């Protein structure tokens, strides 16, 4: 099962978090903004916590498969980050690196997860290692999935803007969503049903068809706060055990991934065969095999 828990992020933005697995004995810490604080605190419950952070355009539900097997032994919570999923999307909200990091800090604190392992994919991985560098008291372990530490540059941002404009929205049906993103999208090198399914989960039905649950302009605003800079210095400040995972056909190359491992004080490396950027979606069983030994070592000591 999955149940929704409310979190208040930076600047008062409402965030939706999803806890997967059977509820623990007693009520978990639940932050209720209108009441000004948590209903209860699980001071005695020391179930190891895991916070899962999706990538740009993603949502907490993309972690469902991972969170369910994690939830068998640990407390697994996935966060809809600001502008994504069922979290708030205020037009005047900040979409800076600082805001995303503060949101993750708020989730770890308000949900009583810390110290937790933080697992991040793409943009969520950058947020994860920035939180680990800034707040080592909140993070006991780190998993970085297919996110580069080097700067991507202005050309990358222009390509993304052009790509958003190429979307044939609204889509008439979800089948059309799956086909376009899995086969017809010019960014697709070969048919990829997992990619089509991934994007189908971030669409919502509107009166004229299916549209994304996010605002593409907010996604570009979010992205422009990291693409022009490199993030090696923050990697070097991460003191907890860290695992860098890449799909063999993903966006993170082997040489850069191995350099990230070298820069991390306690870095380790894993790769997943037959997987692209959406590693945990492309190959869920191989993804589990790649990260589970690391998680068990960190979470169980």
């Amino acid at each position: 099962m999955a149940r929704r828990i409310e979190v208040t992020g930076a600047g008062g933005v409402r965030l939706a978090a999803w806890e997967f697995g059977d509820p623990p004995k007693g009520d978990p810490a639940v932050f209720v903004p209108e009441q000004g604080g948590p209903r209860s605190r699980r001071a005695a419950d020391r179930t190891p916590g895991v916070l899962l952070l999706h990538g740009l355009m993603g949502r907490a539900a993309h972690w469902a498969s991972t969170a369910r097997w994690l939830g068998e032994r640990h407390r697994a919570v996935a966060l809809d980050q600001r502008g994504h999923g069922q979290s708030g999307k205020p037009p005047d909200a900040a979409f800076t690196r600082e805001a995303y990091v503060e949101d993750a800090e708020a989730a770890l604190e308000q949900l009583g997860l810390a110290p937790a392992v933080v697992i991040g994919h793409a943009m969520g991985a950058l947020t994860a290692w920035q939180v680990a560098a800034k707040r080592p008291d909140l993070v006991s372990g780190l998993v970085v999935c297919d996110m580069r530490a080097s700067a991507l540059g202005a050309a990358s941002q222009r390509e993304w803007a052009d790509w958003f404009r190429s979307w044939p929205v609204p889509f008439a049906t979800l089948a059309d969503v799956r086909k376009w993103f899995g086969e017809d999208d010019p960014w697709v090198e070969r048919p990829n049903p997992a990619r089509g399914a991934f994007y189908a989960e971030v669409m919502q039905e509107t009166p004229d068809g299916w549209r994304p649950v996010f605002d593409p302009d907010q996604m570009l605003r979010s992205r422009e706060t990291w693409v022009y800079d490199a993030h090696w210095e923050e990697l070097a400040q991460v003191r907890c055990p860290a695992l860098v995972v890449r799909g063999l056909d993903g966006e993170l190359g082997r040489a850069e991934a191995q350099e990230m491992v070298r820069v991390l004080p306690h870095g380790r490396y894993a790769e997943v065969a037959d997987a692209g950027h959406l590693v945990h979606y492309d190959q869920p069983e191989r993804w589990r095999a790649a990260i589970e030994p690391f998680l068990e070592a960190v979470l169980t000591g």
Side-chain angles (χ1 to χ4, degrees):
M1 63 173 292
R3 63 193 189 93
R4 176 172 169 161
I5 310 173
E6 294 290 319
V7 173
T8 299
V13 173
R14 176 192 54 77
L15 304 174
W18 302 87
E19 183 165 1
F20 291 80
D22 294 331
K25 294 180 180 180
D27 291 332
V30 178
F31 192 80
V32 186
E34 64 269 22
Q35 295 180 8
R39 278 204 299 261
S40 62
R41 242 347 132 179
R42 295 187 319 156
D45 185 358
R46 307 311 303 163
T47 303
V50 182
L51 179 67
L52 299 120
L53 300 176
H54 60 72
L56 190 72
M57 301 179 293
R59 64 186 308 169
H62 284 145
W63 289 115
S65 174
T66 298
R68 287 191 179 110
W69 61 259
L70 279 171
E72 294 172 3
R73 298 184 60 187
H74 313 296
R75 189 175 174 217
V77 179
L79 182 69
D80 274 341
Q81 297 176 79
R82 61 178 53 218
H84 296 76
Q86 295 188 26
S87 287
K89 306 169 180 66
D92 58 348
F95 289 91
T96 61
R97 282 286 81 219
E98 292 77 13
Y100 278 103
V101 169
E102 289 175 18
D103 287 349
E105 292 177 64
L108 288 166
E109 292 176 329
Q110 293 173 24
L111 299 175
L113 287 172
V117 170
V118 183
I119 302 175
H121 173 247
M123 178 192 75
L126 175 58
T127 300
W129 85 61
Q130 289 178 328
V131 172
K134 179 184 176 185
R135 292 290 305 276
D137 58 308
L138 298 181
V139 183
S140 60
L142 172 69
V143 177
V144 172
C145 180
D146 216 64
M147 180 62 188
R148 301 178 61 184
S150 59
L152 302 180
S156 172
Q157 189 71 353
R158 290 194 296 271
E159 289 173 1
W160 272 71
D162 291 342
W163 178 57
F164 276 129
R165 285 192 290 269
S166 76
W167 290 17
V169 291
F171 294 92
T173 68
L174 276 180
D176 292 327
V177 173
R178 295 187 184 95
K179 183 176 186 301
W180 195 84
F181 287 100
E183 301 177 25
D184 300 335
D185 183 348
W187 278 28
V188 175
E189 295 182 359
R190 58 182 180 273
N192 186 344
R195 189 174 187 270
F198 183 95
Y199 283 97
E201 287 204 49
V202 294
M203 296 290 160
Q204 61 184 345
E205 191 170 18
T206 66
D208 63 348
W210 293 82
R211 295 178 179 273
V213 298
F214 51 79
D215 179 345
D217 287 338
Q218 291 184 347
M219 299 300 98
L220 288 172
R221 284 166 56 193
S222 298
R223 195 173 186 273
E224 70 183 2
T225 65
W226 87 73
V227 296
Y228 303 116
D229 300 311
H231 306 281
W232 296 98
E233 183 176 349
E234 292 148 310
L235 269 183
Q237 295 170 1
V238 174
R239 297 299 168 188
C240 64
L243 178 68
V244 177
V245 185
R246 63 179 289 269
L248 288 186
D249 299 316
E251 297 178 8
L252 176 62
R254 179 181 281 115
E256 183 170 353
Q258 292 178 342
E259 180 63 11
M260 290 169 66
V261 172
R262 189 193 68 79
V263 168
L264 284 159
H266 303 286
R268 306 176 197 177
Y269 174 75
E271 58 186 29
V272 179
D274 299 320
H277 179 58
L278 306 175
V279 181
H280 53 301
Y281 236 70
D282 285 345
Q283 296 291 343
E285 293 304 319
R286 292 180 180 179
W287 156 254
R288 177 174 180 171
I291 70 170
E292 192 167 27
F294 172 81
L295 294 175
E296 287 301 298
V298 173
L299 289 167
T300 64

